[in-house]
Amino acid sequence: MACKPLFKQLNFVIIGCDRAGKSEVCNAILGKKTFSFWSLLKKRHETATKEARGRTITVTRGAGWNEGNLGKKDVEREMLYCVNRSHKAGLHAVVFVVDANRPYSDATTIALEELLPEKVWDHTIVVLRNAEAHGEKLGDSLQSLVQKCGNRCCVLNRESICGITEWLEAMIAEKKQIYFGGNVDAEDDKKISLIANLRHNIKCLQQQKNKEEEKQLEEMTWQAKMELQKSTALKDVEIQNLQEICRKQEDELKSLQQEICSDAPSKGAAVKTSGLEITWPSKLMEILDNLDEKEFKRLKFFLHQKKRIPKSLDRDDLADKMIQVWGTSQCIIETEVLLKDLQRLDLVQNLTEFRKDLSGTTIQLVDTPSTVPSTK
């Protein structure tokens, strides 16, 4: 089992003053030299999209500014266009590139506050170039900027530049609202998908950690053992970080579900179904991740026999397909039947507890006889 990107698609707008290093950051995110020195001369935004590291990444590089022209109409128009209209699907983050070796004043922050919508700052990540260490003392104006952006700050150096996309992705995952603009109603689906991917990566890292701990029992050189222990410790920290992010997003999802119920108390069953639609995809992914390869192969065989669902689908695509074919309520019923056919009674019990947790959700799951053909 391999870890997967937390998001299948990432949309960024890169802003910063002239010669702050925006092109370098764009190229690092895309993993390819796409923006060059000549981008400086165009004085308007440029957009590039690339398949990179299992994600579709879209980057819009905004035109730069200097202290004298930040308030000019053409600069303001370019900035607003990039942030508000560049991505109809919504922005995951506005990346504010700052060169730590160059002076930064409160006047720049104030000018941007007057120009950009207030909510933009909840989705802004500061990328610091030429800052030698995370603990380096920042100037008061720069420190205020970082605090305004929720302390989301990535220090870019030779060691971290190759992993900048993962750094940004992790910071996006920690945000209360995943993306800015676009279809706000899709926020539920984004959270559900994120939680499923977080759980997958936690399980994957735990398996890798267990293998490394087992390997430490074998005979090896002292140096090799120390390196393995260091790797295990780093994975343990990463697991804890992902678990914390997952817990926060689950709490946000529950709060969102409660808001749906409180906002429409007269809708009755429709509200209850909405709660299931929010939580079930994540739960289904958790169930599929708990199947070993042999069980998962049998499950796909059963589904192919019942609904001609392709056997080539991975766990993510299969979960989406099951919900698409049956709908949320019927999918829960069919999943219970399939788990019984696989003789995974522990997961059947887990599913029962899941239904109990969704208080007021009126879906009756009965002992439906198996319709799956025997493999004997």
Side-chain angles (χ1 to χ4, degrees):
M1 179 186 293
C3 290
K4 61 178 67 173
L6 297 180
F7 302 97
K8 291 183 179 180
Q9 183 175 1
L10 287 171
N11 296 327
F12 297 106
V13 161
I14 315 298
I15 65 173
C17 69
D18 290 336
R19 296 178 177 81
K22 297 185 294 297
S23 294
E24 179 189 9
V25 171
C26 289
N27 293 334
I29 292 172
L30 293 171
K32 180 181 179 181
K33 187 174 181 180
T34 305
F35 297 87
S36 67
F37 169 80
W38 301 107
S39 301
L40 293 171
L41 306 179
K42 296 183 179 180
K43 295 301 180 182
R44 66 185 304 274
H45 69 278
E46 287 188 273
T47 300
T49 300
K50 186 176 182 294
E51 298 288 334
R53 305 179 184 94
R55 316 169 183 86
T56 301
I57 302 177
T58 300
V59 171
T60 296
R61 179 197 180 281
W65 67 79
N66 57 52
E67 293 292 339
N69 70 359
L70 185 53
K72 290 186 177 181
K73 293 296 182 183
D74 56 340
V75 176
E76 291 183 355
R77 184 169 57 251
E78 266 293 308
M79 185 81 66
L80 285 171
Y81 182 87
C82 287
V83 174
N84 288 338
R85 300 179 182 178
S86 285
H87 303 297
K88 294 180 180 179
L91 286 174
H92 288 86
V94 174
V95 178
F96 191 169
V97 183
V98 179
D99 188 339
N101 287 343
R102 300 176 65 181
Y104 183 89
S105 67
D106 289 331
T108 300
T109 303
I110 293 171
L112 291 172
E113 285 176 337
E114 294 175 352
L115 175 63
L116 299 175
E118 180 63 30
K119 287 186 178 180
V120 167
W121 299 100
D122 295 332
H123 303 273
T124 300
I125 300 172
V126 177
V127 171
L128 282 178
R129 292 180 64 252
N130 298 321
E132 295 184 1
H134 285 273
E136 184 175 327
K137 178 66 176 176
L138 301 176
D140 292 341
S141 298
L142 196 50
Q143 185 63 50
S144 296
L145 171 67
V146 173
Q147 290 174 354
K148 183 171 184 61
C149 298
N151 291 316
R152 290 180 295 273
C153 181
C154 176
V155 177
L156 193 64
N157 51 41
R158 290 182 179 179
E159 289 73 28
S160 65
I161 191 168
C162 294
I164 185 173
T165 305
E166 286 70 25
W167 272 97
L168 295 174
E169 187 179 57
M171 291 182 188
I172 293 166
E174 291 179 347
K175 293 190 301 176
K176 182 176 180 179
Q177 185 179 350
I178 293 174
Y179 69 101
F180 170 71
N183 183 7
V184 179
D185 293 336
E187 182 73 16
D188 301 347
D189 295 334
K190 297 289 184 183
K191 286 187 180 296
I192 289 167
S193 176
L194 172 59
I195 291 169
N197 290 340
L198 285 166
R199 288 174 174 171
H200 172 90
N201 288 356
I202 290 168
K203 183 177 180 181
C204 176
L205 288 169
Q206 189 63 58
Q207 290 178 352
Q208 293 176 10
K209 177 189 169 186
N210 293 341
K211 288 181 180 179
E212 289 182 355
E213 288 176 341
E214 291 175 2
K215 194 172 182 180
Q216 290 178 32
L217 301 177
E218 302 174 4
E219 289 188 10
M220 63 178 68
T221 64
W222 179 84
Q223 183 177 0
K225 191 169 185 176
M226 289 298 101
E227 290 178 356
L228 202 56
Q229 288 177 350
K230 182 180 179 180
S231 175
T232 302
L234 289 174
K235 283 186 174 62
D236 195 42
V237 171
E238 188 173 359
I239 289 170
Q240 292 178 27
N241 290 338
L242 291 180
Q243 287 174 334
E244 179 63 19
I245 295 173
C246 190
R247 183 190 64 78
K248 288 180 179 178
Q249 288 296 341
E250 287 172 340
D251 290 343
E252 288 294 333
L253 197 58
K254 289 178 182 178
S255 297
L256 189 59
Q257 180 183 346
Q258 290 172 357
E259 288 177 11
I260 292 173
C261 294
S262 61
D263 289 344
S266 61
K267 290 184 180 179
V271 174
K272 296 167 186 175
T273 302
S274 176
L276 277 174
E277 290 172 350
I278 291 173
T279 54
W280 172 242
S282 178
K283 187 62 181 179
L284 179 56
M285 269 304 304
E286 179 186 334
I287 290 172
L288 295 182
D289 280 341
N290 274 285
L291 299 177
D292 61 31
E293 289 303 318
K294 185 176 179 180
E295 291 168 335
F296 184 60
K297 188 175 181 179
R298 287 184 64 203
L299 176 72
K300 290 194 289 185
F301 171 78
F302 294 159
L303 291 170
H304 184 69
Q305 293 295 316
K306 293 182 76 170
K307 289 291 183 178
R308 309 305 297 175
I309 293 177
K311 293 189 237 181
S312 59
L313 299 180
D314 60 17
R315 284 171 166 80
D316 286 343
D317 292 336
L318 184 62
D320 292 340
K321 190 67 175 178
M322 289 171 67
I323 296 172
Q324 178 186 345
V325 168
W326 280 309
T328 301
S329 299
Q330 186 63 28
C331 183
I332 296 175
I333 296 172
E334 297 293 341
T335 301
E336 183 185 44
V337 174
L338 290 165
L339 291 175
K340 288 179 178 178
D341 287 320
L342 292 173
Q343 298 183 355
R344 285 300 304 267
L345 299 183
D346 57 324
L347 293 180
V348 174
Q349 178 61 33
N350 187 281
L351 186 56
T352 301
E353 293 172 358
F354 166 75
R355 299 199 306 272
K356 290 179 180 178
D357 288 340
L358 287 173
S359 57
T361 303
T362 54
I363 290 185
Q364 298 298 324
L365 302 186
V366 296
D367 291 331
T368 309
S370 172
T371 57
V372 177
S374 173
T375 58
K376 294 182 180 180

